[in-house]
Amino acid sequence: MIDVSGKRVPVIATEEHYVIPEFVDASLSAARRAPNDLDGEDLAFFLGHPLGRPWLDPLSDLGEGRLRVMDEAGIDLAVLSLMSPGVQMQEGANALALARHVNDHLADTVRRHPTRFAGLAVFPPQDPAAAAKEVERAIRQLGLCGLVVNSHTHGEYLDDPKFWPIFEATEALDAPIYIHPRNPPNELRRYMSNSRGEKALAGGVWGFQFETSLHAVRLIVSGVFDRFPKLKIVLGHMGEGLPFWLYRLDDMYERGYRRHGKGAAKRLPSEYFADNFVITISGVHDHPLCHPTLSYCCSVIGTERVLFAADHPFSSAKAAAESLRTAPLAHEDIAKIAHENAERVFHLPSVAMQHAAPRDRAREEQAHT
Ligand code: MN
């Protein structure tokens, strides 16, 4: 819990990463098979290079060390997701086998610490039918609370109808899909480089938000949300910039497409963004511009659509929680961002209830029924 002007507010962090040895091995072999791949290079550094230890160690910790980091930050519950790009660099049946193993392992981790961890399942878009089945198994049988997909898969995006069995499954289960960044397809490598040939625009500098916002806009303009109106998408990093571009998307989509009877989507982009998307504040803290950015996003899409996330261990959990604690927002709005919105979106039990004394708990339970 964090202390917001004298009141204790529970905190759920929704984009918190981890790895397991089988993922590390599979990712390092994928990186070896694709030596010049943007993501392959990142994986080789974070998972296989001595300089990557400050990330590999906390990523690998699903026990005491991680709980300590959460306690120090005031985070009650972490929604865990496998490190990007998950199983999406894998080929063929490897992707499904790895996804199943990762999801089983994650469900075990959540069972060991049911009040501290929840989990997002991975799935292999490489095989849409098998992915849809795995989504159903992960939510129904394993009790995971949503899905994570790391943007493109071998250069393909989920607006392609061949992937829609996955949306059919997630919509039926009311399970949100977190579209997490990865680098753009390697064909764009030279455009992610500066004039000296250094890949200075890749990764979190610009490549991640470029790639992930592209994916989201592809879904929006393709009519995916007309076919699946209840589909829920989560975007990190303050919505990957999209809250800033909603007016422009609407204006250009209307004047450039819809007015001429073109464009696959029936409604305006901002209408889908309001109905089908929520955003998190992952990685946007510890900088003077973060509070104005948070206030802007809240004013454009509403505080009920903004969720807390740290992006551990790539961003400091403590700085993230402190940024929310000191945000220039009303107490009720901070509470929504801290935990209430996450409880609603991911169907999580009330964190406040777990902290309450037995008598308060009975009262809370009544209030929730
Ligand atoms: Mn992340």
Side-chain angles (χ1 to χ4, degrees):
M1 303 228 257
I2 52 173
D3 192 311
V4 182
S5 40
K7 287 189 202 152
R8 310 280 286 158
V9 177
V11 179
I12 299 176
T14 56
E15 191 196 307
E16 315 311 316
H17 302 302
Y18 75 97
V19 300
I20 59 173
E22 294 82 351
F23 167 79
V24 172
D25 291 346
S27 298
L28 288 176
S29 343
R32 275 194 295 275
R33 289 195 298 272
N36 290 316
D37 185 85
L38 288 168
D39 277 326
E41 274 183 35
D42 286 353
L43 289 170
F45 173 78
F46 284 114
L47 306 179
H49 193 280
L51 289 176
R53 294 305 297 199
W55 291 276
L56 179 59
D57 291 344
L59 279 166
S60 307
D61 191 331
L62 285 167
E64 292 313 309
R66 183 176 294 258
L67 292 171
R68 205 163 41 243
V69 169
M70 289 165 60
D71 289 340
E72 281 167 13
I75 294 169
D76 297 85
L77 183 85
V79 180
L80 301 171
S81 49
L82 186 67
M83 183 189 171
S84 180
V87 303
Q88 292 163 251
M89 268 187 82
Q90 303 300 319
E91 304 282 348
N94 283 351
L96 176 62
L98 184 61
R100 288 180 64 94
H101 177 75
V102 163
N103 292 337
D104 286 339
H105 184 280
L106 182 55
D108 276 345
T109 304
V110 172
R111 269 193 289 274
R112 268 203 302 282
H113 301 279
T115 61
R116 304 305 307 276
F117 295 145
L120 302 182
V122 290
F123 57 87
Q126 293 92 325
D127 182 346
K133 267 194 196 157
E134 181 56 13
V135 162
E136 190 163 334
R137 187 184 80 93
I139 303 295
R140 281 239 170 92
Q141 288 178 37
L142 301 180
L144 297 173
C145 68
L147 294 311
V148 59
V149 67
N150 296 286
S151 202
H152 76 85
T153 304
H154 298 309
E156 294 188 299
Y157 294 83
L158 299 179
D159 59 286
D160 185 326
K162 77 175 182 182
F163 295 114
W164 291 9
I166 297 166
F167 293 143
E168 231 162 84
T170 60
E171 190 192 43
L173 296 158
D174 196 24
I177 306 179
Y178 204 124
I179 307 186
H180 184 275
R182 67 179 290 187
N183 276 300
N186 222 38
E187 288 85 341
L188 270 70
R189 188 185 171 98
R190 57 182 278 235
Y191 307 108
M192 288 290 124
S193 304
N194 63 14
S195 57
R196 290 152 51 157
E198 301 154 339
K199 55 180 186 77
L201 284 78
V205 175
W206 194 246
F208 284 178
Q209 47 268 40
F210 165 89
E211 163 66 20
T212 316
S213 59
L214 173 71
H215 200 154
V217 175
R218 287 186 69 106
L219 294 181
I220 286 172
V221 300
S222 66
V224 163
F225 300 107
D226 295 318
R227 172 68 182 77
F228 304 103
K230 294 204 161 68
L231 194 60
K232 278 196 292 200
I233 303 291
V234 186
L235 294 176
H237 313 100
M238 292 290 182
E240 309 293 356
L242 288 178
F244 189 82
W245 294 113
L246 292 174
Y247 72 97
R248 180 97 174 136
L249 282 163
D250 279 4
D251 187 33
M252 288 293 113
Y253 187 71
E254 174 62 25
R255 289 198 280 139
Y257 291 88
R258 214 162 66 152
R259 197 170 290 174
H260 312 292
K262 292 193 288 187
K266 293 200 176 88
R267 299 164 70 204
L268 289 174
S270 69
E271 297 180 84
Y272 299 112
F273 205 80
D275 287 349
N276 300 98
F277 287 79
V278 296
I279 70 169
T280 82
I281 70 166
S282 62
V284 186
H285 10 77
D286 218 11
H287 188 285
L289 293 178
C290 295
H291 277 164
T293 308
L294 174 62
S295 299
Y296 171 81
C297 286
C298 289
S299 72
V300 170
I301 68 168
T303 41
E304 66 284 355
R305 312 196 73 81
V306 181
L307 281 60
F308 176 75
D311 205 357
H312 174 81
F314 302 106
S315 279
S316 156
K318 212 170 173 178
E322 184 60 12
S323 184
L324 178 61
R325 195 184 72 77
T326 55
L329 297 170
H331 184 275
E332 310 86 78
D333 288 333
I334 292 182
K336 284 183 198 168
I337 296 168
H339 70 105
E340 289 169 16
N341 295 337
E343 287 163 4
R344 183 188 77 242
V345 170
F346 293 107
H347 305 294
L348 298 168
S350 160
V351 178
M353 203 146 45
Q354 287 167 16
H355 286 284
R359 203 188 309 157
D360 296 337
R361 201 174 303 162
R363 205 179 307 142
E364 269 246 16
E365 261 160 21
Q366 252 177 352
H368 276 262
T369 47

